[in-house]
Amino acid sequence: MNISRKNALKSIAGALITLPVFGKKQAEKDFLEFKKEFSEAWKSSLDYTLKLYNQMPEDKFDFRYTPESFSFRTQFVHCITFNTAQICGRLNIPNPHDAKEKKAGFWKTLTKAELETEIKDFYAWVEKTLFETKPEKLLQLESFAGGKIPIWRIFYALENHIIHHRGQVVCYLRLNGITPIGYIGW
């Protein structure tokens, strides 16, 4: 088969013109799959988080293994407040915790049951925010870890952040003689 230089250049040019279209379609497909996968994984994340959370007796909620480490309670509060701030900042939406955080010692005074409600509300808020945010906004590129990723991928990074702190919680439980529940995958 003989291909002329002219036809070869046309083929290459055509391919280069269509690549962004295919790339965009793939990004949109990935995004649609993400919403379904994330919703399933997020429910499992809540379940596992609460199972670990509820293993610690309330009188040990301020346990910390060194003076500079987070307390058991703060591991969860940090996940709520940091992840909420990340989402609100990147989506340019109001932070639902602003009023609460203006109350001195709000997070430190919550009972175990009250903090559990805050955890559940946080998980529900994240999922609601994801599904109510316009796809065009979630597909926008955002700076992250030295590169650029679509905003929807930041939700994975935030789940990874929760996983990191749950790992610390497992250590806190063990340091208090409590055998952590086995890992629950999605």
Side-chain angles (χ1 to χ4, degrees), residues 7-75:
N7 284 341
L9 289 173
K10 281 183 184 177
S11 294
I12 291 170
L16 292 175
I17 290 169
T18 59
L19 278 178
V21 172
F22 287 128
K24 185 176 181 185
K25 287 184 190 259
Q26 184 61 47
E28 290 171 1
K29 182 181 174 197
D30 290 347
F31 170 66
L32 293 174
E33 288 176 14
F34 155 75
K35 279 186 155 183
K36 181 181 180 292
E37 287 177 3
F38 183 82
S39 184
E40 291 172 17
W42 198 239
K43 285 174 181 64
S44 181
S45 176
L46 171 61
D47 182 47
Y48 188 45
T49 296
L50 290 176
K51 284 183 178 177
L52 290 173
Y53 174 83
N54 282 308
Q55 284 193 267
M56 185 69 89
E58 190 164 4
D59 65 336
K60 302 259 188 198
F61 263 45
D62 292 318
F63 170 79
R64 53 182 79 222
Y65 60 92
T66 63
E68 65 277 356
S69 64
F70 281 168
S71 67
F72 182 84
R73 168 195 309 273
T74 304
Q75 294 289 343

Side-chain angles (χ1 to χ4, degrees), residues 90 142-144 149-159:
R90 291 170 190 279
E142 180 79 15
S143 294
F144 185 79
I149 62 172
I151 290 175
W152 65 266
R153 287 192 177 201
I154 290 170
F155 285 82
Y156 279 137
L158 298 178
E159 167 60 2

Side-chain angles (χ1 to χ4, degrees), residues 48-56 61 70-83 107 115-116 118-119 122-123 161-162 165-166 168-170 172-173:
Y48 188 45
T49 296
L50 290 176
K51 284 183 178 177
L52 290 173
Y53 174 83
N54 282 308
Q55 284 193 267
M56 185 69 89
F61 263 45
F70 281 168
S71 67
F72 182 84
R73 168 195 309 273
T74 304
Q75 294 289 343
F76 297 96
V77 170
H78 172 71
C79 287
I80 293 168
T81 59
F82 178 83
N83 285 0
W107 294 106
L115 184 52
E116 181 174 347
E118 291 290 336
I119 293 168
F122 159 74
Y123 270 85
H161 178 243
I162 292 170
H165 286 282
R166 278 196 317 240
Q168 292 183 14
V169 163
V170 166
Y172 283 44
L173 290 170

Side-chain angles (χ1 to χ4, degrees), residues 125-143:
W125 176 84
V126 169
E127 188 161 21
K128 181 179 184 231
T129 300
L130 173 64
F131 281 91
E132 288 182 356
T133 301
K134 293 184 183 205
E136 307 82 57
K137 181 66 177 172
L138 292 169
L139 288 165
Q140 286 179 354
L141 295 180
E142 180 79 15
S143 294

